[in-house]
Structures are given as C-alpha cells and as structure tokens.
Amino acid sequence: MSVTAASGFAAAGVAAGLKSSGKRDLAIVQNLGPLDAAAAVFTTNRCKANPVLWSEQVISDGVVKAIVLNSGGANCYTGARGFQTTHATAEAVADRLEISAGDVLVCSTGLIGEQLDLDQLQAGVWDATLALAGDDAESAAAALAAAEAIMTTDTRPKEAVHVSAEGWTIGGMAKGAGMLAPGLATMLVVITTDAVLDSGQLDTALRLATKVTFDRLDSDGCMSTNDTVALLASGACGIEPGIAEFAAALTEVCQSLAEQLQADAEGASHDIAIEVVNAATEDDAVTVGRAVSRSNLFKAAIFGNDPNWGRVLAAVGTTDAAFDPYGIDVAINGVQVCTAGEPDQPRDLVDLTPRSVHVHIDLNAGEAAATILTNDLTHDYVHENSAYAS
Amino acid sequence: MSVTAASGFAAAGVAAGLKSSGKRDLAIVQNLGPLDAAAAVFTTNRCKANPVLWSEQVISDGVVKAIVLNSGGANCYTGARGFQTTHATAEAVADRLEISAGDVLVCSTGLIGEQLDLDQLQAGVWDATLALAGDDAESAAAALAAAEAIMTTDTRPKEAVHVSAEGWTIGGMAKGAGMLAPGLATMLVVITTDAVLDSGQLDTALRLATKVTFDRLDSDGCMSTNDTVALLASGACGIEPGIAEFAAALTEVCQSLAEQLQADAEGASHDIAIEVVNAATEDDAVTVGRAVSRSNLFKAAIFGNDPNWGRVLAAVGTTDAAFDPYGIDVAINGVQVCTAGEPDQPRDLVDLTPRSVHVHIDLNAGEAAATILTNDLTHDYVHENSAYAS
C-alpha cells in the first residue's frame, strides 16, 4: 500500500519514456486533504539538483498538495534550462490538479548533467493524473506503480506502513540503491499520513525520525545531489496523535525503508550494522561508526568473509572521538576478537557467511551509542558503478 | 641504489621467515656517520602500531644510527608483548652494531592483531647485520635487497636518487601498495643523505617535502597504523647545502617515490591526478581534491572509462571549501565537460583508455591550487583486499 495506505491520498506511476527501458518512470502523489500540511528534508550536498532548489522554495510555507517524481534523469547541473524544466513540470501538475505550482514538490533521480525531455515529462504528468487512485480498490496497485516509477538501479520497490491503535496511519515509499550517505536524505522518500498535524509538528517528527534512520545509512559514503524525504499529512482520519507517539511510529516506518534500501544496495553481499557503544557522546558514536562504514579496506574484507578487525581499529583511529586507542573492544558477529587493544578470541571463530553482519565497538569512554548501517565493497558494486549511466 | 646512493650508509635485506612465501622480509639501514642526524614523520592515526610508539621516542633527540624494518606483520594491537617484541628487535640491532637501542628506529608492516615471532626477528637481524653493505661494489644490490624486504603486496621495489651539482646525494626507498592515505606518511619510507645537516634542518625539510608529496597521495582513503617516513643524514660528503635547495631536492625524491606508490597501488588500472585550481586557499584545494579522490562512485566510473563528471561535482559539493556550486568548471583529460555548472563539451569526447587521468577542477574562487593523486576502484582492488591477509 505505502503512500495510499493513509486515507486522503491518491497515487499513480506511469511510463513517460524517460527510461530507455520503457519501464515506469514518473509518479505523482496527491494530498486530497482536508489538510495540506507537509515537511521535507533535502540533501546537504552544496551541489543541489534543480528539483531540490525548487522544492526547498515550495516547502518553505509548509503547504504541499502534490509531489511529482521522475527517474531517468537527475536534472542536476543542467543550468537555467534545467530549472525551467522543473518549474514547467510543477506547472503541468498544477494545471491538471487545479492547484498552485507553488504547492507541488518535484523530485528527480538519475544521471547528472543531462537535460530531461520536457515533452515527455508533460505527457507523463497528463497520463499520471488520469491514473491517480486512492481510497479505493485500485489504490494499492497505484501506490506500487508509484514506488516502481522512482526505481533506478533498485531491484525492488520499497514500501512500509504503520497503522496505529488509535486509527491513524503512516505509509511510505522509497528508492535508492546507491549514493546512500548521510548529510541527510540520500534517496527519494515520500511518506503520507492521515493524522491531524500541522507542518511544524511534521517537521519536528520528520527530523527526529530521519536523524536516526536515513541519516545513519551510509552504503557507499557518496552523498547525492537530489535526495529528498517528504512527509505529507491529509488529516483525513480526523485524529490528532501525540507528537512523541507519532514520531516513534514515523521512525519505525523510516527504519523499515532504510533497511530495505540497505538490503537492496548496489552489488552488496553483506548488510553491516556497526554498533558503537559506551561513547562519550552520541556524535562520537556516529563519527566512529561512519569512519568504519567508509573504510574500503574493511568493506572489502567483509566481502571476502575475512574478520579483519585491525581494519576496524585503523578506521576508528582516524577520528577525533574521545577514547583511549588501547582501550577499545571489538566483537564481530558475537565473537570478541579484540579486548583493550589486544587480540582476544581467534578471528577464525567469526562466521561471516550470513548476509547480516554485526560489528560491536566498545569505546569504553562514556554511555552514548549509535548504529550505522552500511554494506560491503564487492565486485558487483564496482561493476554496477563503472557501467551505470542511466 | 636508493638508500646507499649517499655515502656513509650501509643496507641489507634478508629473509627471516616472517613471510610465509620465504621472500625477503627484514631490512636494516645503518648510518655510518660521521653525523647521526635524523628526522621522521609518522601516521597521524591515533591507533598506532608498537613500532611507531617506539620510534616516536627514538626520534625525539634527533639521533638515529640505524633503522630496522620488517614486512610480514604490523605488530599493531598486539599489546605489551608486541611492544616488547619491538624493543627486543631494537636491542638485537644495537648489540650487533654496538650502538644504543635508543638510536634504532623500528618499522613493521603487514597484518594487524598478530604477534611477530621474536626468534625469527632476532635471527633475521643477525643475518642482516652480516650482510650490511655500503660504499662498495655490493651496495647497490644490498639497497635493492632492503627495498625488496619491505614489500607487502607491492609488485616492485621503489627507489629514487637525486645527485646535486654540488656533490651531495639523496636516496630513498619506499613500500606501499594499499592503505595509501594522508595524515601523513602512509607507507614505509627511508631516505638517506650524505649532506651535512642537523636534525632540526632535516625535520624542516622533511615536513616541507612530505606535505606536498606523500600527504597528497590518497589511493584508497584508508589511513594505516604503521607508516613512517624517516630521513637520515650521514654528513659523509662534507657539504652543507642551502636548506631551500635541499628541501627542493628532497621533494623531488619524495614525489618520485609517491608516484611509484601510486603506479603500484593495489589493483588499480588508472593513475588519477585531481588538480584543483583557483581555490580560495591551498587547504580548500586539498579538501576538494581529497573529497573527489574518496568518492567510490567517481573512482568506479573511471575504472569503467566513464567520464561521469556529475560524480566529481557531487563530491565537491560535500566540502565546506569556498566556491559557488554553480560556478565550477570541470575538464577531464583536456575536455571541458562542465562550465559554470552546465554541460559544455560532450562527455563522449573524453578518452579514458590511457592509465593516466587528469581531472581539472576550477573553483573560480581564488588563486590557490593543489593536486591530489589517487587511483580508480577496480575489481582487482576488491579482490586483493578481500583475500589479503598477510
């Protein structure tokens, strides 16, 4: 169900011809109200794509009535013409839905430095608005079509739903299989809810949720130019949830989508959770986890099922987090391979054949903790990213 | 010739059994004087190997009479016993050469978290001291043997020599094929000179030289725990050079060794020079160059001969250097693919089939510049680092 699970939303996904494969490549999600509150977070990359530059303006008043997303081109570093394409796409959606273009978010994903074909986009918008479905028998199929339309190298669509005991619902869809890195939001994600919340509450909840989910997913250390996480509230269920309860449920949905992104990361053969405990601060824990997640040597070793814990410590040592370099403990998949900077259990005891890998780093420097999700560095990653150009 | 090219030095390289292959794995370089001045720089990784902890003490008085180096084990994260091994190795060299152990630098390279065999080290030291050769017909062979003894995944020894018009000489050897990253010194390098210089002068010259050579080589973004660049002066030629002239010659030797390291980087198929120009500061230029050198997406694209300049800009955008994100120009191998944030020449014009790749990034923000050397991300890099455990 994803984006149409919550009442008050319609979705569609169509093939506009932007992908040479002929697959679906344009999606629209419409908020049918009664509310039109929204929040969004964007890539912190300073080189932002045109749709991000546009959407940052749209979100500033907290009102979003529709979002249009395309794969098949990032519309980044395409200059003034590229910005016009984004603007014209929003106008096309606005014309069809009889809303203002200033209330239409635009998201694009694909190759940087190539112009999108505006004729294809406009025809796709026309088709998508005709196909919009929500609150009816076709809504699940429509939501799936939308989730498919934003896929690039993804092998499967990503959807998640949370239904609260009180009766409000959160649903989300995501794309992303490479360029997953922090700075926030490094994928396209649309989340909808029928709860009654204003844009300030949505913004608070969204930042709480993304900080500990998408922001801690660092598949390959590369930060995208386009990525966006948008949260739209229709208020259609008429229930006003507690903000803490809502944020917790939203975090659950975001975590599910983040784990789906990790599980589908380009070419990966292991999903690695790097849990840093007993750090002086949460920032230290994140810094240490991220340093390990960006060590190509460590990631290649995991690909080879080699529990090379020295590469974990070598990466930890590059950070300025608080710790005694010779007071760190490391366990891999439950085997304590290093205690206080000396070898402990034999590394041969570590079984790295499962896809799921757990690296536990005890800094012995405080009480804070954080977990970073990453993937291994594989032949297939290199292959997909050397040949990828769509 | 390398480390015996300058007069007043003897070298040897022997097989001590530390490498399972039976190849040479232990080297000694002895300074025969009359001077015994030295300087050294070490990894900035906070997780330092035992030989680095030892050698930092040795260098503190600026006096070094010999250096002993081994491959086949890093002696890092091996605790108090590992430090004892380093100490005992220095003592063995001191006994044989009738010097103080406090004047013996120790360097190790190989796997982290495994103890070295002290009996093998001591026997190797005995053999190496017997084989020491310098200032004679055998000295070139001895220097080559030493350069071979420090190899790990290197496919060839690295040597460089500079003979000044005045009559003084600088010679150096290096090892390193992976874990080349900055923070300084991410390899083992021994450089000798017969010029008359004190340890303060050597330190000044060495830091000037390494800052623009080894420190700008970032093959895979991973910083080692063991790396050391040592410079020893014998004064044997009796000539006192100008410090600027000496530093320039030393930089030339370091640059030659750095380029040899880049050319032999594990699994690489392209040597990439990322030249950043018109930066506001030299630090900005280095920061931008390093960000690009650490983008796996960019590096995988170069492996695939894909001039994907969007990945260059996406990496530039992650930095806090001064620039207008939409005012950057990018050229790859002489083809201007991006001007002021818009596509310029077609990317298909870029020929990436040669091993040597030149990426030119104009930030249009000032007058400073820097070049970072890196390599592409290849199937062979993944393979070597997934299987590598020696």
Side-chain angles (χ1 to χ4, degrees):
Chain A
M1 289 290 278
S2 76
V3 291
T4 59
S7 55
F9 291 94
V14 299
L18 302 163
K19 279 180 181 164
S20 55
S21 65
K23 291 186 176 173
R24 290 193 177 96
D25 50 19
L26 190 139
I28 294 179
V29 178
Q30 182 182 10
N31 185 348
L32 301 167
L35 298 184
D36 51 18
V41 288
F42 302 96
T43 182
T44 55
N45 200 308
R46 292 169 62 198
C47 294
K48 295 181 203 303
N50 282 309
V52 172
L53 297 174
W54 169 267
S55 295
E56 285 179 335
Q57 298 303 314
V58 170
I59 200 65
S60 59
D61 65 358
V63 175
V64 173
K65 293 182 186 292
I67 176 166
V68 56
L69 312 94
N70 75 272
S71 51
N75 197 0
C76 181
Y77 279 106
T78 45
R81 186 179 147 201
F83 190 82
Q84 281 297 103
T85 299
T86 291
H87 186 181
T89 305
E91 290 284 1
V93 172
D95 282 353
R96 292 284 301 159
L97 301 183
E98 297 182 346
I99 57 179
S100 159
D103 296 334
V104 179
L105 290 177
V106 181
C107 299
S108 301
T109 177
L111 189 64
I112 297 176
E114 303 282 342
Q115 299 290 347
L116 287 169
D117 184 321
L118 182 56
D119 291 340
Q120 288 181 324
L121 283 165
Q122 287 171 325
V125 166
W126 184 278
D127 291 345
T129 53
L130 290 176
L132 281 168
D135 291 338
D136 59 30
E138 292 170 28
S139 70
L144 180 61
E148 288 172 352
I150 58 175
M151 289 165 61
T152 53
T153 57
D154 304 66
T155 64
R156 47 188 180 270
K158 284 94 179 168
E159 302 184 297
V161 172
H162 175 97
V163 180
S164 77
E166 280 183 306
W168 47 269
T169 296
I170 302 175
M173 68 176 185
K175 70 78 52 176
M179 274 202 169
L180 305 181
L184 201 286
T186 34
M187 59 285 302
L188 301 185
V189 180
V190 179
I191 303 169
T192 57
T193 182
D194 48 18
V196 177
L197 293 161
D198 65 29
S199 61
Q201 292 170 315
L202 294 173
D203 189 70
T204 299
L206 185 60
R207 289 180 193 280
L208 283 170
T210 55
K211 179 169 184 274
V212 295
T213 56
F214 297 121
D215 222 11
R216 293 188 182 171
L217 172 64
D218 193 345
S219 179
D220 68 357
C222 294
M223 188 194 292
S224 168
T225 51
N226 283 59
D227 298 327
T228 304
V229 181
L231 171 62
L232 315 183
S234 69
C237 80
I239 302 167
E240 189 171 342
I243 188 71
E245 189 187 358
F246 181 79
L250 183 64
T251 300
E252 204 177 279
V253 168
C254 289
Q255 183 67 16
S256 168
L257 292 171
E259 287 174 4
Q260 291 179 56
L261 292 167
Q262 179 191 29
D264 197 23
E266 282 174 349
S269 68
H270 289 87
D271 298 335
I272 308 170
I274 301 165
E275 183 181 4
V276 182
V277 302
N278 294 325
T281 65
E282 190 173 332
D283 281 353
D284 273 7
V286 170
T287 298
V288 166
R290 204 171 314 287
V292 176
S293 81
R294 292 186 171 187
S295 165
N296 281 349
L297 287 173
F298 162 72
K299 289 151 73 92
I302 297 298
F303 166 59
N305 294 342
D306 174 11
N308 194 322
W309 56 267
R311 293 178 178 178
V312 174
L313 289 169
V316 173
T318 63
T319 71
D320 59 2
F323 58 78
D324 170 1
Y326 308 98
I328 300 172
D329 308 329
V330 178
I332 304 179
N333 281 359
V335 179
Q336 187 83 17
V337 285
C338 173
T339 300
E342 295 197 46
D344 191 333
Q345 297 297 302
R347 61 183 79 204
D348 297 345
L349 296 180
V350 180
D351 179 11
L352 285 172
T353 52
R355 183 175 173 103
S356 179
V357 176
H358 181 240
V359 179
H360 187 272
I361 303 169
D362 188 337
L363 295 181
N364 289 305
E367 297 180 352
T371 299
I372 299 290
L373 304 179
T374 189
N375 295 100
D376 54 350
L377 179 60
T378 69
H379 289 301
D380 286 348
Y381 176 88
V382 174
H383 177 74
E384 289 197 33
N385 285 298
S386 57
Y388 174 66
S390 66
Chain B
M1 288 290 277
S2 73
V3 290
T4 59
S7 53
F9 291 93
V14 299
L18 302 164
K19 279 180 182 166
S20 55
S21 66
K23 291 186 175 173
R24 291 191 176 96
D25 50 19
L26 189 140
I28 294 178
V29 178
Q30 182 182 12
N31 185 348
L32 302 165
L35 299 182
D36 52 18
V41 287
F42 302 97
T43 181
T44 54
N45 200 307
R46 291 169 62 198
C47 295
K48 295 182 204 299
N50 282 308
V52 172
L53 296 175
W54 169 266
S55 295
E56 284 179 336
Q57 298 303 315
V58 170
I59 200 65
S60 60
D61 65 357
V63 175
V64 172
K65 292 183 188 292
I67 177 165
V68 55
L69 312 95
N70 75 273
S71 51
N75 197 0
C76 180
Y77 279 106
T78 45
R81 184 177 150 203
F83 191 82
Q84 281 296 103
T85 300
T86 291
H87 186 183
T89 306
E91 289 286 0
V93 172
D95 282 354
R96 292 286 300 159
L97 301 182
E98 297 181 347
I99 58 179
S100 160
D103 296 335
V104 180
L105 290 177
V106 182
C107 299
S108 300
T109 178
L111 190 63
I112 297 176
E114 303 281 343
Q115 298 290 347
L116 287 168
D117 184 321
L118 182 56
D119 291 341
Q120 287 181 325
L121 282 166
Q122 287 170 329
V125 166
W126 183 278
D127 291 347
T129 53
L130 290 175
L132 281 168
D135 290 340
D136 60 29
E138 291 169 30
S139 70
L144 181 60
E148 286 171 354
I150 57 175
M151 289 165 60
T152 53
T153 55
D154 305 66
T155 64
R156 46 187 181 271
K158 284 91 179 170
E159 303 183 299
V161 173
H162 174 96
V163 181
S164 77
E166 279 182 307
W168 47 270
T169 295
I170 301 175
M173 68 176 185
K175 69 79 49 176
M179 274 203 169
L180 308 179
L184 203 286
T186 32
M187 59 284 301
L188 301 185
V189 180
V190 179
I191 302 168
T192 58
T193 182
D194 48 18
V196 177
L197 294 161
D198 64 28
S199 61
Q201 293 170 314
L202 294 173
D203 190 70
T204 299
L206 185 60
R207 289 180 193 280
L208 283 171
T210 55
K211 180 169 185 273
V212 296
T213 57
F214 297 121
D215 223 11
R216 293 188 183 173
L217 172 63
D218 192 345
S219 180
D220 68 358
C222 295
M223 188 194 291
S224 169
T225 52
N226 284 57
D227 300 327
T228 303
V229 181
L231 171 61
L232 314 182
S234 70
C237 81
I239 302 166
E240 189 171 344
I243 187 71
E245 190 187 357
F246 180 80
L250 182 64
T251 300
E252 205 178 278
V253 167
C254 290
Q255 183 67 18
S256 168
L257 292 172
E259 288 173 3
Q260 290 178 57
L261 292 168
Q262 180 191 29
D264 197 22
E266 282 175 349
S269 67
H270 289 87
D271 298 336
I272 309 170
I274 301 166
E275 183 181 5
V276 182
V277 303
N278 295 324
T281 65
E282 190 173 333
D283 281 352
D284 272 7
V286 169
T287 298
V288 166
R290 203 169 316 284
V292 176
S293 80
R294 292 186 170 188
S295 165
N296 281 350
L297 287 172
F298 163 72
K299 289 153 73 93
I302 297 298
F303 166 61
N305 294 341
D306 173 11
N308 193 324
W309 57 267
R311 294 177 177 176
V312 173
L313 289 170
V316 173
T318 64
T319 72
D320 59 2
F323 58 77
D324 170 359
Y326 309 98
I328 300 173
D329 307 331
V330 177
I332 303 178
N333 281 0
V335 178
Q336 187 83 17
V337 284
C338 172
T339 300
E342 295 196 45
D344 190 334
Q345 297 297 301
R347 61 183 78 204
D348 298 346
L349 295 179
V350 179
D351 180 11
L352 285 172
T353 53
R355 183 175 174 101
S356 178
V357 176
H358 181 240
V359 179
H360 187 273
I361 302 169
D362 189 335
L363 295 181
N364 290 305
E367 296 181 351
T371 298
I372 300 289
L373 304 179
T374 190
N375 294 101
D376 54 351
L377 179 60
T378 69
H379 289 301
D380 286 350
Y381 175 87
V382 174
H383 178 73
E384 289 196 32
N385 286 299
S386 57
Y388 174 66
S390 65

